[in-house]
């Protein structure tokens, strides 16, 4: 034989044979077994110091007998099929000397094997109080259990008398004499029903290594344990379950459901408990009504389902003071299949046109009404209404509605009827996303760093500034006038209306970090922000920076990121477009600077310094440091020249870091300065107010053509009048 295991714990496979009158239908009907766990613990604390059938809160089918107590009155049937045990513990007491509970630090006393007295219908054991000697200053509790380690059926608290030849019942005050001055007879009665909550249909007995049979008093259910199925004694209880549904399944359930309990555990069963298929140990009386004529069809088909293979019900045991139980019941076999509503396609976020439905039929093909079916969303998001459905007279169950999730792609809905063959069933649907009426119609991003499919953006703006151009080679790209890059694209307005206050804004997202990097209105309408029907182009510089941003939080770091464009009207977001990018620190960049916060228009030049890092690994020639002063429609030269002191020759920038304070223009050297002047080269008229100084590092390493930008940095300043 072998031990059956389930879920990492030992499982004992048991057949419960339940009779359906007038003929023993146990071998014909469908039997469903389920398992759940329930604690089998000691009874709740009782205020009295005596717990048996003589007190209100005690077990009504357990009684202590003389000499411990006066003879009680009982009317139940004595149960001789048990092997109870008695243990005696020393009691802990409170500050006033009142007994509380068993003292776990004191050794438990085992008075010996309990004997069955069939003549007097009682159990008996002698406690020799000198083996070991008792402590005359302590209280003791006599406890009776159905098996070693099982829960307590009843207890009595006693206290030794100073003479040593008597005990006193703590509850009644009665004095109990000892035989020969040292032996206390412990007698008690256990009636049928002591372990059951449903005494009307119950079987209980002690089963050990020798094996045994337990049958309910009605003869409707029983279990046969072969030898060595259990290693030690346990109380096995079988009792009818009256609650409905009895089993945690959705099938229609018949009468005759039973609960099987072992107290205690065990944790491991040594071999399978094989049922007696002939059921020779069960009677065939008629305590339950026969099945209705409509059930005869499924009974016929149940024979094909269950015979000749054996039918088992799994039971798991748990040791200690907890146990588990199996419920064995009768249920109508059912088959669930898809009726309709599978494989639909509908716009994402909307309900499918045909609510999914299932049919439930028995094994003869007849519809099963009243069957519970639950519809739940499986994947894709979305929601349902009417998810808890019941089959109608034709065996059909329909979900109220199924709304798909907001995204495009696959969605699933799961229909479940616990216990039905074919359950669960999965319905599939596809959500599609319609192009918005106002949407992006094509976008490209070019940067000073890269024009590849994953453009590169520089985030190395210095403190108090923002932006910065970068190059990977020494040759910059001329298509970006300033800033980090430029987004070019078009949008489509498929409506017939002119939309007002429409713009594109740009964000850069990197994990939880999100920063605004640009914004642009549209051309092509009566004015900026007006979007006429049809297509419209836009162009927008973008500048990622940790040092300056109007909106957003967090710190950008080198690595992958996403440029996110939004097509917006007020608070309405029409469409989004994302572009993967890589963030870097420019190999040539300004890492620090000292610049004036205020410049006077027409005033004297103001000295400043910049610190430049060259991480290219080579000396760059003909490097110019300078700046432009920018205002709306204004761009004028603000000073600068070939840097001096960063290499062997003017204009040389060696690898490493260099602070520039002096520049040269031709043969003249001077301090590095900034100036605000409407006489400087450029265009527009500088006026008092806010402005931006665009600091530039430029180079012409090959001495041909125009200078190319190596790095740019925008520095806010304030202009004042002369």
């Amino acid at each position: 034989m072998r031990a059956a295991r389930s879920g990492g714990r030992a499982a004992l496979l048991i057949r419960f044979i339940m009779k359906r009158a007038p003929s023993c239908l146990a071998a014909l009907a469908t039997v469903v077994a389920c398992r759940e766990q329930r604690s089998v613990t000691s009874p709740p604390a009782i205020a009295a110091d005596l717990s048996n059938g003589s007190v209100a809160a005690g077990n009504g089918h357990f009684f202590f007998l003389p000499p411990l107590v006066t003879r009680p009155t009982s009317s139940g049937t004595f149960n001789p099929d048990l092997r109870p045990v008695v243990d005696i513990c020393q009691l802990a007491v409170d500050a006033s000397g009142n007994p509380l509970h068993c003292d776990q630090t004191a050794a438990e006393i085992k008075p010996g094997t309990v004997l069955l007295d069939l003549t007097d219908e009682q159990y008996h054991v002698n406690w020799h109080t000198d083996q070991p000697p008792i402590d005359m200053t302590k209280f003791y509790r006599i406890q009776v259990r159905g098996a070693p380690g099982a829960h307590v059926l009843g207890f009595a608290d006693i206290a030794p008398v100073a003479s040593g030849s008597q005990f006193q019942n703590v509850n009644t005050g009665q004095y109990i004499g000892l035989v020969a001055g040292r032996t206390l007879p412990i007698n008690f009665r256990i009636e049928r029903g002591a372990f059951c909550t449903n005494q009307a249909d119950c079987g209980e007995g002690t089963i050990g290594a020798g094996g045994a049979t337990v049958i309910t008093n009605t003869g409707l259910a029983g279990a046969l344990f072969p030898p060595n199925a259990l290693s030690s004694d346990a109380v096995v209880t079988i009792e009818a379950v009256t609650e409905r549904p009895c089993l945690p399944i959705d099938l229609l359930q018949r009468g005759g459901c039973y609960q099987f309990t072992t107290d205690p555990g065990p944790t491991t069963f040594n071999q399978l408990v094989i049922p007696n298929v002939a059921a020779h140990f069960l009677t065939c009386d008629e305590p339950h009504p026969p099945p209705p004529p409509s059930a005869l069809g499924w009974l016929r088909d149940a024979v094909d389902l269950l015979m000749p293979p054996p039918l088992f019900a799994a039971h798991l045991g748990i040791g200690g003071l907890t146990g588990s139980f199996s419920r064995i019941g009768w249920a109508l076999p059912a088959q669930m299949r898809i009726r309709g509503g599978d494989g639909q396609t509908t716009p994402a976020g909307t309900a499918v046109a045909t609510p999914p439905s299932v049919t439930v039929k028995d094994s003869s093909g007849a519809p099963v009404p009243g069957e519970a079916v639950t519809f739940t969303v499986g994947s894709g998001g979305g929601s349902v209404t009417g998810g808890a459905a019941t089959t109608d007279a034709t065996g059909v169950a329909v979900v109220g509605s199924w709304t798909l999730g907001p995204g495009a792609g696959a969605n699933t809905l799961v229909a479940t009827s616990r216990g039905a063959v074919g359950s669960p069933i999965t319905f599939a649907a596809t959500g599609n996303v319609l192009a918005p009426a106002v949407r992006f119609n094509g976008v490209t991003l070019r940067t000073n760093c890269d024009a590849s499919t994953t453009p590169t953006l520089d985030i190395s703006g210095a403190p108090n500034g923002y932006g910065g151009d970068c190059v990977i080679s020494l040759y910059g790209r001329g298509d970006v006038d300033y800033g980090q890059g430029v987004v070019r694209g078009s949008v489509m307005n498929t409506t017939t209306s002119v939309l007002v206050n429409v713009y594109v804004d740009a964000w850069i997202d990197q994990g939880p970090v999100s920063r605004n990097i640009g914004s642009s209105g549209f051309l092509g309408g009566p004015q900026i922000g007006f979007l006429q029907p049809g297509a419209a182009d836009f162009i927008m510089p973008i500048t990622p920076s940790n040092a300056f941003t109007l909106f957003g939080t967090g710190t950008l770091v080198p690595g992958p990121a996403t440029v996110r464009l939004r097509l917006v009207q007020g608070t309405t977001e029409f469409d989004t477009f994302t572009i993967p990018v890589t963030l870097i620190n420019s190999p040539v960049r300004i890492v620090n600077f000292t610049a004036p916060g205020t410049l006077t228009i027409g005033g004297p030049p103001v000295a400043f310094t910049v610190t430049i890092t060259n991480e290219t690994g080579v000396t760059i020639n003909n490097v110019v440091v300078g700046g432009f002063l920018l205002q709306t429609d204004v761009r004028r030269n603000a000073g600068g020249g070939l840097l001096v002191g960063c290499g062997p020759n003017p204009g040389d920038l060696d690898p490493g870091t260099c602070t520039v304070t002096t520049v040269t223009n031709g043969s003249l050297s001077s301090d590095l300065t900034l100036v605000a002047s409407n006489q400087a080269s450029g265009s527009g008229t500088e006026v008092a107010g806010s402005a931006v100084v665009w600091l530039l590092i430029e180079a012409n390493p090959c001495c041909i053509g125009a200078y190319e930008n190596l790095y740019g940095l925008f520095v806010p300043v304030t202009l004042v009048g002369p």
Side-chain angles (χ1 to χ4, degrees):
M1 303 300 290
R2 59 181 177 85
R5 300 186 178 273
S6 175
R9 292 175 294 184
L12 176 60
L13 298 184
I14 298 174
R15 172 181 276 177
F16 270 61
I17 302 177
M18 287 159 284
K19 182 193 62 182
R20 298 295 299 262
S23 60
C24 289
L25 302 178
L28 301 179
T30 299
V31 180
V32 181
C34 68
R35 179 186 62 82
E36 56 182 298
Q37 294 186 6
R38 171 181 80 171
S39 293
V40 181
T41 60
S42 298
I46 300 175
D49 300 307
L50 176 69
S51 175
N52 71 355
S54 299
V55 297
N59 188 319
H61 294 276
F62 170 81
F63 298 91
F64 282 110
L65 301 175
L68 282 178
V69 297
T70 58
R71 182 164 295 277
T73 300
S74 63
S75 58
T77 302
F78 178 68
N79 188 347
D81 301 326
L82 304 170
R83 288 192 291 275
V85 296
V86 173
D87 53 64
I88 302 166
C89 69
Q90 192 179 106
L91 287 175
V93 297
D94 61 17
S96 301
N98 298 313
L100 298 175
H101 51 75
C102 288
D103 186 349
Q104 301 300 319
T105 64
E108 193 174 64
I109 299 172
K110 303 289 187 183
T113 301
V114 175
L115 303 177
L116 170 64
D117 182 350
L118 276 176
T119 302
D120 293 327
E121 294 189 342
Q122 66 179 20
Y123 291 96
H124 167 80
V125 67
N126 285 328
W127 176 18
H128 301 288
T129 59
D130 58 345
Q131 300 175 8
I134 61 174
D135 187 335
M136 300 298 294
T137 66
K138 303 294 184 181
F139 290 92
Y140 289 85
R141 173 167 291 179
I142 300 172
Q143 302 180 122
V144 179
R145 307 175 190 270
H151 74 277
V152 175
L153 284 171
F155 63 84
D157 293 347
I158 57 176
V161 177
S163 65
S165 62
Q166 289 181 313
F167 278 100
Q168 183 182 28
N169 188 312
V170 177
N171 177 256
T172 64
Q174 172 184 343
Y175 287 94
I176 307 164
L178 302 183
V179 178
R182 61 184 182 183
T183 300
L184 175 64
I186 301 174
N187 302 317
F188 53 91
R189 175 183 175 87
I190 304 176
E191 298 176 346
R192 297 194 184 277
F195 301 91
C196 292
T197 57
N198 181 0
Q199 283 81 24
D201 192 357
C202 168
E204 50 197 2
T206 301
I207 297 180
T213 298
V214 177
I215 307 173
T216 63
N217 55 345
T218 61
L220 294 173
L224 177 63
F225 287 72
N228 300 316
L230 300 173
S231 298
S232 59
D233 284 357
V235 177
V236 176
T237 304
I238 306 171
E239 59 182 312
V241 178
T242 58
E243 65 177 294
R244 291 294 180 268
C246 172
L247 308 173
I249 58 175
D250 298 318
L251 299 178
L252 295 178
Q253 298 178 32
R254 303 296 180 182
C257 184
Y258 288 84
Q259 173 179 300
F260 171 75
T261 306
T262 56
D263 182 22
T267 57
T268 301
F269 294 94
N270 299 324
Q271 58 177 287
L272 299 177
V273 172
I274 307 298
N276 188 319
V277 177
H280 65 274
F281 56 89
L282 296 181
T283 63
C284 289
D285 299 327
E286 191 171 342
H288 293 303
S294 61
L296 296 179
W298 67 261
L299 285 176
R300 179 192 67 246
D301 294 313
V303 177
D304 296 334
L305 175 65
L306 302 179
M307 298 179 66
L311 175 67
F312 296 108
H315 173 75
L316 294 181
I318 296 180
L321 294 179
T322 61
S324 64
F325 66 86
S326 289
R327 287 186 175 184
I328 312 298
W330 309 73
L332 180 66
Q335 173 80 43
M336 185 169 72
R337 293 185 174 90
I338 290 178
R339 177 177 178 267
D342 190 27
Q344 300 181 75
T345 298
T346 194
T350 65
V352 296
T354 302
S357 60
V358 298
T359 57
V360 181
K361 297 182 179 181
D362 65 24
S363 55
S364 68
V368 178
E371 185 93 357
V373 179
T374 302
F375 293 89
T376 56
V377 173
S379 62
S383 61
V384 298
T385 63
T390 303
T391 56
D392 60 17
T394 64
V396 175
V398 186
V399 68
S401 67
W402 178 23
T403 299
L404 304 188
N411 290 252
T412 58
L413 181 72
V414 180
T416 304
S417 182
R418 295 174 300 171
V421 177
S423 175
I425 287 175
T426 299
F427 294 85
T430 301
N432 55 28
V433 177
L434 300 177
V438 181
R439 60 185 182 272
F440 286 108
N441 197 39
V443 177
T444 60
L445 168 63
R446 290 181 64 84
T447 75
N448 279 7
C449 300
D450 201 324
S452 66
T453 55
T454 304
T456 308
L457 296 174
D458 178 30
I459 56 171
S460 54
N464 301 319
Y466 60 95
D469 290 337
C470 67
V471 292
I472 292 181
S473 68
L474 296 180
Y475 303 97
R477 301 187 183 277
D479 61 319
V480 181
D481 190 26
Y482 61 92
Q484 266 299 301
V486 64
V487 176
R488 289 184 172 91
S490 67
V491 298
M492 177 65 69
N493 176 9
T494 63
T495 73
T496 58
S497 302
V498 176
L499 304 178
V500 180
N501 192 28
V502 178
Y503 62 93
V504 174
D505 67 2
W507 297 75
I508 190 158
D509 300 326
Q510 190 180 59
V513 179
S514 185
R515 285 183 171 272
N516 180 261
I517 57 174
S519 181
S520 175
F522 288 109
L523 302 178
Q527 62 189 62
I528 292 177
F530 282 69
L531 181 60
Q532 294 182 329
D537 296 333
F538 69 93
I539 181 170
M540 177 174 58
I542 57 172
T543 305
S545 172
N546 287 314
F548 180 85
T549 186
L550 295 176
F551 307 103
T553 58
T555 301
L556 299 169
V557 297
T562 300
V563 170
R564 173 169 49 93
L565 305 179
R566 301 191 314 151
L567 179 56
V568 179
Q569 181 189 44
T571 59
T572 301
E573 183 178 289
F574 291 123
D575 197 9
T576 60
F577 191 92
T578 58
I579 306 169
V581 296
T582 299
L583 303 183
I584 66 166
N585 282 323
S586 175
V588 177
R589 61 186 182 274
I590 297 173
V591 295
N592 200 7
F593 64 90
T594 60
T598 301
L599 292 175
T600 301
I601 300 173
V606 179
F608 74 101
T609 64
V610 294
T611 301
I612 303 172
T613 288
N614 174 9
E615 295 178 347
T616 65
V618 298
T619 297
I620 304 174
N621 309 120
N622 299 321
V623 177
V624 171
V625 177
F628 289 90
L629 199 147
L630 307 177
Q631 279 185 313
T632 304
D633 299 327
V634 176
R635 175 175 172 171
R636 288 190 177 275
N637 193 304
L642 283 172
L643 57 80
V644 175
C646 294
N649 303 304
D652 288 348
L653 179 62
D654 288 343
T657 300
C658 176
T659 298
V660 180
T661 60
T662 305
V663 295
T664 180
N665 288 282
S667 60
L668 299 176
S669 295
S670 63
D671 292 337
L672 179 62
T673 60
L674 288 175
V675 63
S677 173
N678 283 311
Q679 306 305 313
S681 60
S683 62
T685 301
E686 299 170 353
V687 296
S690 298
V692 171
V693 173
W694 180 25
L695 297 180
L696 284 175
I697 305 173
E698 299 179 293
N700 187 1
C702 54
C703 305
I704 58 173
Y707 279 82
E708 299 289 351
N709 294 341
L710 295 182
Y711 189 79
L713 183 68
F714 297 93
V715 181
V717 296
T718 300
L719 300 185
V720 297

